[in-house]
Amino acid sequence: MTSCMPQLRTASVFRMISSYEILMIAIYKKLPKTNCGACGVATCMAFALKVKNGQALISDCPHVAAEVTAEHHEAGPGPFSNFEQVAAALEKEAAALDFQETVEATGSSFRTGDGKESIAVRMLNREYVLRKDGLLENDLPCRDVWAKIIISDYLRKKGKRSSTGDLITLGHFPHTASHVKAFQANAEKKIIVRFGSDLPGLRQRSAELGGTETDGGVKADFSCRFDLLPHVQIYLSFWQSDEEFDADCKLLFDRNASDHIDIEYLAYLVERFVEALAGD
Ligand code: SF4
């Protein structure tokens, strides 16, 4: 009986996460889907993620129907507040892992200090440290709910398949909903708008974010690889505008990335990556 408990807990956490993914899509469906940007983010999809994450209210979209806003206010924080419980459950599960075995599988680092073991893992060029008592950021308990969920899930997943070198877009992963394709197109568009005629600026910002210049097999004016997580890379290829062509950008991922991270989480990381690269 006792030996079944961790499995049952894992299953219930997965069920909870799935329900939150459904929740994000439910929020998205209530938005106008015009991607007008008036709420401060580039796409309705990104806004839905923020609402789900508790970082925005649905009423922050000035175009959402009044009855939808009223419905959300009446419902109160409801499932949104439970989102922290999901993060806490995953964090606890990750903390219970065999740390030595986990670092080998995940490309993270094993540390010991003060007699305590920990795992150091970089996400989007920022270091997080998982100890047996929880996840730390800058030596303080991590307050970023999404960081907790993604890092904990990445560590416990211990993806086994290594990189293939075969690069694909987000929308080409199996069972990817069509909204992910639109999401990626908007992410690329944001980079084009910001750096279309400023290749030196893109080069500098990429270096600041820890990017490594590489051709990635794609012939472009600028190509760079970034580690979203140790075994999850994003490849940016960029063509600056000239007299003949408009600027263009492609964001690609290794075909085996989904072995290491849930695709919805990968989409969220892309959103944060683009914000860090091309945000104001
Ligand atoms: S303001 Fe509303 S319609 Fe415009 S992008 Fe934001 S969520 Fe979408």
Side-chain angles (χ1 to χ4, degrees), residues 42-230:
T43 65
C44 297
M45 168 80 177
F47 180 73
L49 279 166
K50 283 197 159 195
V51 173
K52 187 185 76 161
N53 197 18
Q55 295 170 320
L57 297 171
I58 199 159
S59 53
D60 292 340
C61 167
H63 308 300
V64 83
E67 54 273 25
V68 171
T69 301
E71 183 191 315
H72 273 252
H73 282 176
E74 268 171 34
F80 300 116
S81 59
N82 288 340
F83 202 51
E84 293 199 352
Q85 292 173 17
V86 174
L90 281 169
E91 182 185 32
K92 205 170 162 191
E93 196 169 330
L97 293 167
D98 177 326
F99 280 10
Q100 295 234 35
E101 181 198 83
T102 302
V103 295
E104 280 167 30
T106 58
S108 44
S109 316
F110 182 75
R111 292 182 185 165
T112 50
D114 302 332
K116 293 177 180 167
E117 57 179 38
S118 61
I119 296 177
V121 58
R122 295 190 79 79
M123 183 173 84
L124 283 173
N125 209 27
R126 186 183 289 256
E127 185 178 85
Y128 297 83
V129 174
L130 179 69
R131 296 194 319 204
K132 290 295 177 187
D133 55 356
L135 189 70
L136 304 181
E137 182 180 1
N138 296 328
D139 292 328
L140 294 169
C142 179
R143 303 238 170 268
D144 182 339
V145 171
W146 267 101
K148 275 190 199 179
I149 289 176
I150 293 175
I151 290 171
S152 301
D153 193 52
Y154 171 75
L155 292 175
R156 70 179 194 159
K157 223 174 173 117
K158 297 184 206 165
K160 295 202 173 26
R161 292 186 297 162
S162 49
S163 298
T164 59
D166 184 14
L167 304 183
I168 58 174
T169 65
L170 206 54
H172 279 89
F173 284 102
H175 317 300
T176 307
S178 56
H179 70 266
V180 173
K181 290 185 185 179
F183 172 73
Q184 172 157 16
N186 280 303
E188 292 167 346
K189 192 170 155 195
K190 191 164 184 179
I191 295 171
I192 293 166
V193 169
R194 171 72 177 77
F195 296 108
S197 53
D198 183 18
L199 183 55
L202 175 60
R203 197 166 255 132
Q204 183 187 335
R205 192 70 198 111
S206 297
E208 287 166 0
L209 289 180
T212 306
E213 285 199 43
T214 168
D215 70 8
V218 179
K219 196 164 166 25
D221 293 330
F222 175 68
S223 296
C224 201
R225 191 197 77 217
F226 301 83
D227 293 332
L228 299 178
L229 284 159

Side-chain angles (χ1 to χ4, degrees), residues 237-253:
S237 295
F238 184 82
W239 296 262
Q240 62 184 335
S241 59
D242 57 26
E243 317 76 52
E244 225 179 319
F245 297 105
D246 291 335
D248 201 2
C249 176
K250 284 279 165 272
L251 297 174
L252 301 170
F253 310 86

Side-chain angles (χ1 to χ4, degrees), residues 31-39 41-44 47 61-63:
L31 299 175
K33 304 178 201 68
T34 54
N35 300 328
C36 72
C39 56
V41 292
T43 65
C44 297
F47 180 73
C61 167
H63 308 300

